[in-house]
């Protein structure tokens, strides 16, 4: 099914993943009627990229807050497809819980309400693997799928907020629209997303440069995960959008979630950084800074110190027990269901993803070195 003539709203369009989805939509052979790009703020670089691809599809920039109800109604008016990627990502507990809930949970619910009021038929939500786990025990999953039973109730604020938002999206499927039509929804749960422009990769690169071009080992080699390249998760959104418009495929997809991975080798998070840049001459530490159990309790101690200091000063530890568990638990999933239900097949091979990401990292190394020097001076 084609997206030709469709009016689409992409939230979080100025972000790492949102930009890539917009780029793919603008590159479609059969042009959309319109793409509305919604975000709280857009960098000048993002706006320049959007201008490069403007052609047959009309592009409209909407800068505003996902919590603003009148703004959302204006954004959704006349739209038939919403791709909702906007959220606050917080792995360290840096964001106040109230703000996290207002944006990730309430913002999603208000967007769904706007879709019903404005007769939006199709809604795709970008969830996260963290709504599944790992749990606090660090129970592993090897090549799991949507039917895998896993005892977990997300406790970390970010994971909980995403789970509640995803639940709202899937429960909204089948709601009657104002014009009598029906809302159809699904959610995509990507693995850790890497690729050009990834802010987490840049953060790890900075620490590597400060550590004499050697990556810090923050996850053990046995903690295998299957990250997904940003181009492939963006492509999954486009394929899901097309399939939701196909009545036969939509009946299988409605109200469902899908794990999205690709053919990236199963590696630990730390070893992924190394694999992407080994050709640039970077190394990686051979072991964790301390035994895993000790690292877990050390992180827990830092959290306790942070809690005790809260009345006097805001101290944010560099790690926490949730992050240590997340980074050191084997957790891999198959994309078979997405392939079966809506034809998802990775658009980029691992070698292509590795080459593209490595080239981007190589291009920013001089800039990051200068930036770190100026901070040290």
């Amino acid at each position: 099914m084609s997206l030709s003539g469709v009016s689409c709203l992409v939230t979080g369009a100025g972000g790492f993943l949102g930009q890539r989805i917009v780029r793919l939509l603008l590159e479609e052979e059969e042009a959309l009627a319109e793409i509305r790009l919604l975000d709280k703020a857009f960098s000048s670089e993002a706006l320049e990229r959007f201008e490069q691809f403007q052609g047959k599809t009309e592009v409209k920039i909407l800068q505003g807050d996902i919590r603003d109800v009148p703004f959302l109604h204006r954004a959704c008016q006349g739209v038939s497809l919403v791709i909702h990627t906007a959220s606050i990502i917080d792995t360290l507990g840096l964001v106040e819980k109230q703000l996290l809930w207002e944006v990730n949970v309430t913002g999603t619910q208000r967007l769904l309400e706007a879709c019903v009021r404005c007769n939006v038929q199709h809604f795709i939500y970008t969830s996260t693997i963290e709504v599944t786990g790992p749990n606090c025990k660090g129970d592993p999953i090897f090549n799991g799928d949507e039917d895998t039973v896993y005892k977990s109730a997300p406790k970390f604020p970010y994971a909980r907020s995403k789970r509640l938002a995803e639940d709202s999206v899937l429960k909204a499927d089948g709601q009657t629209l104002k014009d009598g039509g029906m809302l159809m929804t699904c959610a995509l749960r990507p693995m850790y997303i890497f690729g050009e422009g990834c802010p987490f990769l840049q953060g790890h690169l900075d620490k590597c440069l400060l550590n004499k071009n050697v990556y810090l080992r923050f996850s053990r080699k046995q903690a295998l995960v299957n990250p997904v390249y940003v181009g492939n998760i963006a492509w999954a959104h486009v394929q899901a959008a097309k399939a939701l418009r196909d009545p036969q495929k939509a009946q299988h997809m409605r109200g469902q979630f899908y794990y999205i991975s690709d053919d990236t080798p199963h590696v630990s998070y730390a070893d992924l950084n190394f694999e992407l840049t080994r050709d640039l001459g970077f190394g990686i530490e051979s072991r964790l800074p301390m035994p895993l159990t000790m690292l877990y309790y050390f992180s827990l101690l830092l959290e306790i110190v942070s809690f005790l200091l809260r009345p006097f000063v805001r101290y944010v530890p560099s790690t926490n027990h949730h992050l240590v568990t997340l980074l050191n638990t084997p957790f891999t999933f198959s994309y078979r269901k997405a392939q079966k239900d809506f034809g998802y097949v990775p658009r980029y091979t691992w070698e292509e993803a590795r080459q593209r990401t490595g080239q981007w990292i190589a291009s920013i190394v001089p800039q990051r070195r200068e930036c770190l020097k100026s901070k040290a001076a």
Side-chain angles (χ1 to χ4, degrees):
M1 182 67 69
S2 169
L3 294 177
S4 177
V6 169
S7 292
C8 174
L9 171 67
V10 180
T11 74
F16 169 49
L17 173 61
Q19 288 189 49
R20 199 59 177 261
I21 292 172
V22 171
R23 174 176 160 183
L24 283 179
L25 290 172
L26 290 173
E27 288 175 342
E28 280 289 289
E29 291 182 10
E30 298 183 15
L32 283 74
E34 179 186 24
I35 301 181
R36 300 179 188 178
L37 313 182
L38 186 156
D39 214 320
K40 191 169 184 179
F42 291 90
S43 67
S44 57
E45 292 84 359
L47 294 176
E48 288 176 6
R49 291 191 190 101
F50 297 146
E51 288 176 0
Q52 290 175 3
F53 289 97
Q54 287 194 34
K56 294 177 289 184
T57 299
E58 180 183 352
V59 177
K60 185 180 293 184
I61 304 295
L62 302 174
Q63 193 160 310
D65 198 312
I66 195 74
R67 298 167 292 179
D68 184 337
V69 174
F71 171 69
L72 291 179
H73 287 167
R74 291 194 300 272
C76 291
Q77 196 65 51
V79 166
S80 60
L81 166 66
V82 167
I83 299 178
H84 180 35
T85 77
S87 70
I88 295 177
I89 300 174
D90 180 32
T91 58
L92 285 174
L94 300 174
V95 181
E96 293 294 334
K97 290 183 182 179
Q98 182 178 350
L99 177 59
L100 200 64
W101 249 249
E102 286 178 358
V103 173
N104 291 0
V105 183
T106 306
T108 298
Q109 293 168 345
R110 289 178 179 174
L111 181 60
L112 287 165
E113 292 166 1
C115 288
V116 171
R117 181 173 173 177
C118 298
N119 304 312
V120 176
Q121 296 172 297
H122 305 114
F123 190 106
I124 299 171
Y125 177 63
T126 308
S127 188
T128 171
I129 185 62
E130 286 197 51
V131 305
T132 305
N135 59 26
C136 59
K137 296 180 181 178
D139 293 327
I141 290 181
F142 298 95
N143 205 34
D145 60 28
E146 290 77 0
D147 294 323
T148 299
V149 177
Y150 188 72
K151 293 183 179 180
S152 74
K155 295 182 178 179
F156 196 68
Y158 167 66
R160 286 179 59 201
S161 72
K162 293 292 286 186
R163 183 56 182 262
L164 289 171
E166 184 192 272
D167 287 346
S168 296
V169 170
L170 300 185
K171 288 176 182 176
D173 181 77
Q175 281 195 20
T176 303
L177 305 177
K178 191 175 181 180
D179 66 356
M182 185 172 60
L183 178 64
M184 304 180 208
T185 72
C186 70
L188 307 185
R189 293 183 184 176
M191 310 297 111
Y192 166 75
I193 306 173
F194 71 94
E196 309 94 293
C198 175
F200 294 109
L201 283 179
Q202 182 170 302
H204 295 312
L205 175 64
D206 286 352
K207 292 176 182 177
C208 173
L209 295 174
L210 290 172
N211 197 41
K212 299 180 180 179
N213 297 341
V214 177
Y215 280 104
L216 303 173
R217 178 164 290 283
F218 48 81
S219 54
R220 55 195 178 123
K221 290 183 70 70
Q222 306 96 310
L224 301 181
V225 292
N226 54 333
V228 60
Y229 177 57
V230 64
N232 287 328
I233 180 61
W235 181 234
H237 282 77
V238 174
Q239 290 186 302
K242 290 181 177 180
L244 268 184
R245 288 171 46 77
D246 183 321
Q248 289 187 334
K249 291 181 179 178
Q251 66 181 342
H252 298 292
M253 297 174 62
R254 290 181 45 207
Q256 299 292 310
F257 70 85
Y258 295 91
Y259 292 115
I260 306 296
S261 56
D262 57 18
D263 300 322
T264 299
H266 295 192
V267 293
S268 75
Y269 286 106
D271 288 296
L272 173 70
N273 294 335
F274 174 59
E275 287 298 325
L276 292 171
T277 56
R278 64 190 310 169
D279 294 343
L280 301 177
F282 293 113
I284 185 170
E285 294 177 343
S286 59
R287 62 186 68 182
L288 293 170
M290 60 184 75
L292 182 57
T293 302
M294 189 180 298
L295 182 60
Y296 180 89
Y297 285 110
F298 174 72
S299 300
L300 194 58
L301 176 62
L302 291 181
E303 290 181 77
I304 294 172
V305 171
S306 175
F307 176 77
L308 294 175
L309 290 176
R310 191 168 299 168
F312 314 102
V313 65
R314 179 167 170 76
Y315 163 62
V316 180
S318 57
T319 186
N320 55 54
H321 71 283
H322 166 77
L323 190 58
V324 171
T325 303
L326 176 70
L327 298 177
N328 286 280
T329 301
F331 222 60
T332 61
F333 289 83
S334 165
Y335 60 81
R336 286 190 301 268
K337 184 179 178 183
Q339 187 174 35
K340 177 174 69 74
D341 283 5
F342 63 88
Y344 165 68
V345 176
R347 186 170 183 170
Y348 302 93
T349 66
W350 156 242
E351 283 305 320
E352 289 173 317
R354 179 176 177 272
Q355 182 181 28
R356 289 166 178 258
T357 307
Q359 289 174 346
W360 168 71
I361 293 175
S363 72
I364 67 170
V365 166
Q367 172 194 352
R368 299 314 305 163
R369 287 192 194 279
E370 288 302 316
C371 182
L372 293 171
K373 282 181 183 179
S374 63
K375 286 182 179 180

